[in-house]
Amino acid sequence: MSKTQTLPAAKPRKAPAAPLHYTASGLDDVWLVNGFTLEATPYGPGVSIQDADALHDTLAQVIATGNAALRPAELRFLRKHVGLSQEGMARMLGCSSQSVARWEKGQVAVDPSAERLVRFIVMEFLGKEWAMLKALEDLAQADTANHTERRLRHRAGAWKRAA
């Protein structure tokens, strides 16, 4: 005679009704359109993110290929995402670690040449091909572009920029 085992009922999950303001990346302008669930935990309400590593890769790509100048928090996010210390980033950019620290604190603007190199470092880390001349032309627009809110959508098992 076989025994059957009753599994405990799954905790109720609530389908997202509105975009989620996602701040775990350290950025204040990221909103998830979907790809997350709200759930009850023993400690109170919780959020579960589908494939958070892929979300951060997509966010890094969206920032690196964006046409607005990098803000301090974005530079910090990108540096950490590629696994570099401030000293490691400074070595790659040919500057001092104090320069990187001041950029990340917003004390001084990021040198435009260094910013472009950071973007290429990120794209290389992500394994993305990026045509250098086209990318440099696009990045030249960063001097005048304004920041907007970023919305990301999870579809068909991947994170993408939401329309």
Side-chain angles (χ1 to χ4, degrees):
M1 184 178 231
S2 67
K3 294 183 179 180
T4 58
Q5 182 178 7
T6 305
L7 298 175
K11 293 184 181 183
R13 292 181 174 214
K14 185 178 175 186
L20 172 72
H21 187 199
Y22 182 72
T23 58
S25 63
L27 302 171
D28 61 1
D29 62 345
V30 178
W31 294 82
L32 304 183
V33 175
N34 66 357
F36 66 93
T37 54
L38 305 175
E39 51 190 47
T41 73
Y43 306 102
V47 177
S48 176
I49 305 293
Q50 291 180 349
D51 201 354
D53 290 339
L55 168 62
H56 282 218
D57 282 349
T58 301
L59 184 54
Q61 183 176 348
V62 166
I63 294 168
T65 59
N67 61 359
L70 293 179
R71 294 179 299 159
E74 292 169 330
L75 180 63
R76 183 180 317 105
F77 169 79
L78 292 174
R79 176 184 57 77
K80 288 182 175 184
H81 189 69
V82 300
L84 290 173
S85 64
Q86 288 179 340
E87 184 176 304
M89 178 66 80
R91 263 195 320 275
M92 293 185 91
L93 300 176
C95 64
S96 72
S97 58
Q98 284 303 307
S99 291
V100 175
R102 286 192 298 268
W103 295 337
E104 290 184 0
K105 291 176 185 173
Q107 294 173 341
V108 294
V110 180
D111 176 75
S113 298
E115 180 178 319
R116 284 165 173 75
L117 284 174
V118 168
R119 293 171 188 264
F120 278 102
I121 290 167
V122 170
M123 294 304 283
E124 177 71 21
F125 172 82
L126 294 173
K128 305 289 184 184
E129 290 188 24
W130 207 23
M132 185 175 289
L133 291 177
K134 168 85 169 86
L136 289 172
E137 287 173 12
D138 291 346
L139 292 174
Q141 297 175 17
D143 296 334
T144 58
N146 293 320
H147 282 279
T148 60
E149 176 178 281
R150 293 182 177 93
R151 290 186 179 248
L152 302 172
R153 176 182 307 280
H154 192 266
R155 183 179 295 157
W159 284 97
K160 301 189 189 247
R161 188 184 312 231

